[in-house]
Amino acid sequence: MWSPFKVLVFALVAACSFTPVHVLEFCTDRDCPSHDNTASNSQLSPNTFRSRWNISVSNLIQDLDRFRVSCKKLIEAFPIDVVDGNFARSVKNCIFSKSIPTPLKGQLRLAAASKEVIEGILDLDVAVTQSDDFLHYASGGRLPPGSIPLAHRYGGYQFGYWAGQLGDGRAHSLGQYTNRKGEVWELQLKGSGKTPYSRSGDGRAVIRSSVREFLCSEAMHFLGVPTSRAASLIVSDEPVTRDQFYDGNVKTERGAVVLRLARSWFRIGSLEILSQSGEIDLLRKLLIFVIDEHFPSISSDDPDKYLVFYSTVVNETAHLIAQWMSIGFAHGVCNTDNFSLLSITIDYGPFGFMESYSPNFVPNTSDDEGRYSIGAQADVGLFNLQKLLVALSPVLSKQQESKAEHILNGYVDIYHKRIHQLFKAKLGLLEEEEDDGYLIAFLLKMMEDTQSDFTMAFRQLSEVSAQRLQDRDFTQLWALEDLSSHKLFPDWLSVYQLRLIRQQNDSDLDRQQRMRNVNPRYVLRNWMVESAISKAEMNDFSEVELLHHILSFPFVTQVTAEEAGYASRPPVWAKRLKVSCSS
Ligand SMILES: *[C@@H]1O[C@H](CO)[C@@H](O)[C@H](O)[C@H]1NC(C)=O
Ligand SMILES: *[C@@H]1O[C@H](CO)[C@@H](O)[C@H](O)[C@H]1NC(C)=O
Ligand SMILES: *[C@@H]1O[C@H](CO)[C@@H](O)[C@H](O)[C@H]1NC(C)=O
Ligand SMILES: *[C@@H]1O[C@H](CO)[C@@H](O)[C@H](O)[C@H]1NC(C)=O
Ligand SMILES: *[C@@H]1O[C@H](CO)[C@@H](O)[C@H](O)[C@H]1NC(C)=O
């Protein structure tokens, strides 16, 4: 049967070299975070943080010396690099190297802290972030009790080619923290100095890229996307030189450290390096560790455990990328070393949120080929999963390997189903009708033709009543105004309206509410973060804090955000912005 949706999807990915997979995502009512409507309370000043859980402050750790991490599990499970010292070298037969962070120089300042993470994950009273001790602990100047800082050895395919040994070149894992909920989190500093994996790098991260990672990882969490988290951002006076656009224009910036957390930082590249260098016993050991720690539903006695693991990663990666697409998020460097085995978003570099809808949107302005354009992400995910299979093949039987290939073939389908689900939710569609795919594809095509704002077009569809849609009254709904300039818009609209009318038991208010819960009003647009960065570079962190607060409630209209123009048509200068790529 002729399906315009399929055809369109093909057209959009024609430039890609793999099986055509494509498009955008959303989140169902169930997996979206619940949105605390009281948060929209306009009285909240940007300085007010709200915890969303009820905990009595007295349960929180108020004294940093009582905060302990443990490296026992990681150190006992694996051999550690026999060589010491933070000099660049090729490392063999281990998973980690011990590596002491290099303290940042000059005055340290707390630029941002996430109360949600500090209290909700680390069980610390957020007041401790105001202490000098915290500044040192969170920037590598002092180690928390129990910490044996480690740099992880991994490899990866970068931009399509095997790049050999990569590893944590400027990140240190401090250890694991088991919180009162029983969750285990691995704490990591980024920008904390050289390690054996620094290659020619200086081990530092600049304020610019650190503000971006801090804000975006937290924003992604509140958008309901699996991601690493950020606890704090410390900036220093230490000069760091960077060629921001790789154009020979070297600039002195300042060093910063993000304290970030994930359940695990293992990547596809963690397995690849072992496989590539023939360290198969260690490969098996790491796999068993990851499965035991992070895939509790897989039994260690299961003779097919690696296969089940692979199948889980394939499924969850497809889901993750579909989710990225549904909010217009482009990661920017989808190399195998930047893809988590737990299918969470990690390594925020030259990412970007798409503004005008375009499958060719590339956040990294130096990526001329568009390898990591938003429309190519699903294909790159497939490429990376293929590489994961290659890495696993030494521990799979021939028969398991062919089953694994079969599983990989299912990726496209899983992805398409998820995308379809997510976009249906973005449009408020219930049940399933034959032409739903067409309705979605038609809309995206009009968005592309009219260069409508992706985030706001969906958001405004969530905020407009059926009556106003009927009347095509889009006063002040700038993204819908743009969209409705398309000559086929009236046709699409009438199909959409009829589709909505056929939804029994659905009221227009319910539809709007459902849609508002999946279509964010605020995402971290480049122009927003650039402005916060310029201020942060002058030690004014107010805009970082404002953005952090607003993006903690992305689905809720907030007065401060409206005043700042975060839901308005982007300023003209935003179009000329280049994403700073070096970090
Ligand atoms: C949460 O906090 C509110 C206000 O302090 C209190 O009334 C309520 O009982 C608390 N709920 C729980 C479950 O502790
Ligand atoms: C695939 O992953 C999603 C997202 O984590 C999960 O909800 C779903 O149950 C998984 N499906 C299978 C078959 O494991
Ligand atoms: C992610 O990929 C980029 C580009 O290959 C690389 O420079 C960077 O080191 C990776 N990030 C991490 C933390 O490994
Ligand atoms: C951006 O793309 C270029 C070209 O592919 C690549 O060399 C560069 O490393 C990328 N930037 C980052 C931060 O990954
Ligand atoms: C609509 O609601 C009625 C009464 O609650 C129920 O019997 C019916 O099954 C519902 N229809 C749909 C399509 O959900």
Side-chain angles (χ1 to χ4, degrees), residues 198-402:
S198 297
R199 292 174 282 161
S200 57
D202 59 14
R204 290 302 185 205
V206 293
I207 293 180
R208 186 164 42 78
S209 64
S210 306
V211 166
R212 286 170 54 88
E213 167 142 9
F214 178 88
L215 286 177
C216 195
S217 60
E218 285 304 283
M220 290 287 270
H221 169 75
F222 290 105
L223 286 165
V225 182
T227 175
S228 61
R229 303 294 304 271
S232 63
L233 165 62
I234 312 283
V235 305
S236 76
D237 294 331
E238 182 169 326
V240 175
T241 50
R242 287 288 183 272
D243 181 354
Q244 197 179 335
F245 298 109
Y246 305 118
D247 61 0
N249 209 341
V250 175
K251 210 175 109 189
T252 301
E253 303 187 45
R254 281 157 57 205
V257 170
V258 173
L259 171 59
R260 57 186 199 172
L261 289 77
R263 296 306 196 95
S264 161
W265 290 99
F266 288 125
R267 305 136 191 277
I268 293 180
S270 306
L271 298 170
E272 282 180 303
I273 191 139
L274 303 173
S275 191
Q276 287 268 347
S277 55
E279 297 168 48
I280 308 307
D281 287 344
L282 203 45
L283 172 68
R284 212 172 270 118
K285 206 174 232 178
L286 179 55
L287 270 167
I288 291 172
F289 181 89
V290 170
I291 291 170
D292 286 353
E293 294 291 315
H294 303 290
F295 295 79
S297 63
I298 305 178
S299 157
S300 40
D301 311 327
D302 186 342
D304 281 335
K305 58 178 177 290
Y306 302 138
L307 197 58
V308 183
F309 163 77
Y310 184 65
S311 152
T312 311
V313 180
V314 168
N315 173 55
E316 297 203 333
T317 300
H319 276 249
L320 177 68
I321 297 179
Q323 234 178 322
W324 289 354
M325 299 301 278
S326 79
I327 50 169
F329 174 80
H331 180 284
V333 245
C334 303
N335 295 327
T336 55
D337 59 317
N338 297 31
F339 257 50
S340 154
L341 289 177
L342 270 52
S343 308
I344 59 171
T345 316
I346 55 170
D347 289 350
Y348 290 84
F351 66 82
F353 283 88
M354 177 170 64
E355 302 205 22
S356 297
Y357 177 81
S358 163
N360 301 320
F361 169 65
V362 180
N364 167 2
T365 42
S366 316
D367 181 3
D368 304 327
E369 282 173 50
R371 177 175 175 85
Y372 296 145
S373 72
I374 193 161
Q377 280 186 145
D379 288 334
V380 171
L382 181 61
F383 175 88
N384 290 348
L385 290 166
Q386 254 158 14
K387 295 301 174 192
L388 173 61
L389 176 52
V390 172
L392 292 178
S393 60
V395 299
L396 299 177
S397 67
K398 278 277 153 281
Q399 202 189 9
Q400 287 173 328
E401 217 176 315
S402 77

